[in-house]
Amino acid sequence: MSEENQVEEEPKPLVLEKLEANHADALLAQDESRGTIVVVIHKEQAYAVLEYLKTDPELAYTFLVDVTAVDNSQMESELMQFDYARFMVVYQLYSYQGQCRLRVKVPVHENDLSLPSVTGLWQGANWLERETYDMFGINFDGHPDLRRILMPDDFDGHPLRKDYPLRGRGERERFNFDKQNR
């Protein structure tokens, strides 16, 4: 066999090896995109997997960069791939030890818009989860202070959902710029 026919496989990233060994039943998909490893995990096991990623001494994803969501309601291919879960909650993690990024996605169905809060793992999740709640309407069970952070308390709707009208619902005329959230 010539050397040209021999293709060396790149070693699998440590995080994928460890997730497959310890949480294989939680993994729905895995990929590498633009130098970032991406995993999609079951909602029911999200907290356990995120806790593992933070506390495992070899992985040590100790920095929560961001928590956000994506509304896939108008993307048929994405909907079909994950049992028609409308939303995808996205956690961006970083390991200083391994100097690598990890994107963890959790499909969330419209009929059950809740996930466990990760504020017990990363205090920085407090405001990030509040923003995701405010903009998408996703609840984080166990959050210490889940209330609106960008919109007024009496605001109706969640502006980053795809079904929210592009021109709003007349809130520019009704928006009380003097009223502050408590």
Side-chain angles (χ1 to χ4, degrees), residues 63-80:
F63 180 45
L64 176 68
V65 179
D66 196 16
V67 177
T68 190
V70 177
D71 181 349
N72 291 324
S73 62
Q74 297 174 356
M75 299 176 67
E76 187 69 23
S77 62
E78 287 291 318
L79 289 168
M80 288 174 51

Side-chain angles (χ1 to χ4, degrees), residues 29-42:
Q30 53 187 292
D31 192 18
E32 195 163 344
S33 173
R34 298 180 183 170
T36 300
I37 299 163
V38 181
V39 295
V40 182
I41 58 175
H42 280 287

Side-chain angles (χ1 to χ4, degrees), residues 15 49-66 92-102 104 118-125 128:
V15 66
V49 171
L50 291 165
E51 182 178 38
Y52 174 75
L53 290 167
K54 181 183 181 190
T55 59
D56 181 272
E58 289 183 280
L59 299 177
Y61 284 94
T62 56
F63 180 45
L64 176 68
V65 179
D66 196 16
Q92 303 279 4
L93 306 176
Y94 186 75
S95 171
Y96 289 107
Q97 179 178 303
Q99 296 184 356
C100 57
R101 298 180 185 281
L102 176 65
V104 179
V118 294
T119 54
L121 298 174
W122 296 282
Q123 287 185 344
L128 300 170

